[in-house]
Amino acid sequence: MKVSTILLKTWFDEFNREYFRSSLPVPKFVIGNARTQLGAMAYKWKSVMGRKEYYGYTIRISNYYDADEKQFKNVLLHEMIHYYIVIKGIKDTSSHGIVFRRIMNEMNARGWNITVRTDTRNWNIAGKSSTKGETFLVLAAVTHAGKHLLSVVNPAYARRIERIMKLSQEVKWHAFYTSCDSFFSSFPKVRSPRGRIVSPTVFMKKTDAMNRTDFKG
């Protein structure tokens, strides 16, 4: 999905009432397309009688990734914590210091997943399809140790990899799939059994969306 300034304001008003006792003035909302910065809270300041006076508060959210509603809300709440700390003139130990983490943990205890830094390695780029319509041969595997792995396989080595996977004592389950998902465009095409560890949630989401294929070695 993509967010809009109207949607951000709607969420902001809801969170302001629920978590900040409606103490936050409505800032300016800006939609960006940054790859590395999903959200940002910025402001200006001027010196008045020898003291800093802050104004021009802006919350910027990036539409670069195809995130879902809760992921966008987590990013917005992250920036609202920064906003709250500045508005209240609270001194923290660092940008994501003791105060920030305390508020973050209190919100996460209520069902959110706010983090200091968001890992976007498993996120899809919004509106991007696979390179040149490429179809990927994907190996999905679960180890006895509980690791979930995804890998893009060089088709010429698929049967060899299949035989090795069947003999491996570390592998609990594995399967081959085909996919046109741009998520896999950054994966190297492997010639041996190795893969990228992903969360069980990402693993299930990706395998459920792919087409199963069999290699009989």
Side-chain angles (χ1 to χ4, degrees):
M1 68 172 290
K2 288 190 175 184
V3 292
S4 64
T5 55
I6 294 175
L7 189 56
L8 289 178
K9 185 180 183 303
T10 300
W11 292 345
F12 178 91
D13 290 342
E14 174 188 340
F15 297 150
N16 195 16
R17 289 192 302 271
E18 186 167 357
Y19 302 119
F20 302 100
R21 298 181 181 179
S22 299
S23 64
L24 302 179
V26 178
K28 178 182 179 181
F29 296 103
V30 175
I31 302 300
N33 196 43
R35 179 178 66 85
T36 58
Q37 192 173 41
L38 301 183
M41 194 285 293
Y43 53 86
K44 301 176 183 178
W45 66 272
K46 60 185 177 182
S47 180
V48 179
M49 301 294 289
R51 297 182 62 184
K52 286 184 177 180
E53 183 175 296
Y54 300 101
Y55 67 101
Y57 296 97
T58 300
I59 290 180
R60 181 184 298 271
I61 302 293
S62 174
N63 263 335
Y64 183 84
Y65 292 99
D66 183 21
D68 60 33
E69 180 175 318
K70 189 163 186 178
Q71 288 169 325
F72 276 120
K73 285 181 174 180
N74 283 321
V75 174
L76 176 60
L77 282 167
H78 178 119
E79 303 310 325
M80 289 180 71
I81 297 173
H82 283 305
Y83 188 26
Y84 175 81
I85 290 172
V86 173
I87 284 288
K88 295 299 182 181
I90 300 171
K91 298 293 184 181
D92 205 350
T93 54
S94 65
S95 178
H96 297 105
I98 293 174
V99 177
F100 180 95
R101 291 171 186 267
R102 176 180 58 77
I103 299 173
M104 178 183 75
N105 291 335
E106 288 173 355
M107 290 187 177
N108 287 343
R110 300 176 69 173
W112 296 103
N113 187 32
I114 307 163
T115 57
V116 169
R117 184 180 299 276
T118 302
D119 185 354
T120 59
R121 287 177 296 177
N122 297 322
W123 290 25
N124 290 329
I125 298 172
K128 182 179 178 182
S129 58
S130 64
T131 306
K132 298 181 180 178
E134 183 177 4
T135 298
F136 302 101
L137 178 60
V138 178
L139 171 63
V142 179
T143 70
H144 286 288
K147 294 180 180 179
H148 293 70
L149 301 99
L150 294 173
S151 177
V152 173
V153 173
N154 183 321
Y157 293 81
R159 294 184 187 281
R160 176 176 176 272
I161 291 174
E162 166 69 355
R163 288 193 291 270
I164 295 172
M165 296 295 287
K166 283 183 176 180
L167 295 173
S168 174
Q169 296 182 355
E170 296 181 10
V171 177
K172 179 180 180 181
W173 176 91
H174 76 281
F176 283 92
Y177 296 86
T178 56
S179 175
C180 294
D181 191 340
S182 62
F183 170 82
F184 296 106
S185 61
S186 65
F187 283 58
K189 291 183 175 62
V190 302
R191 301 181 179 185
S192 60
R194 57 191 178 92
R196 184 176 296 178
I197 297 175
V198 298
S199 69
T201 301
V202 170
F203 186 89
M204 291 299 297
K205 179 181 178 181
K206 296 302 178 184
T207 53
D208 284 348
M210 293 189 289
N211 297 314
R212 180 81 174 263
T213 187
D214 291 322
F215 279 91
K216 297 180 180 179

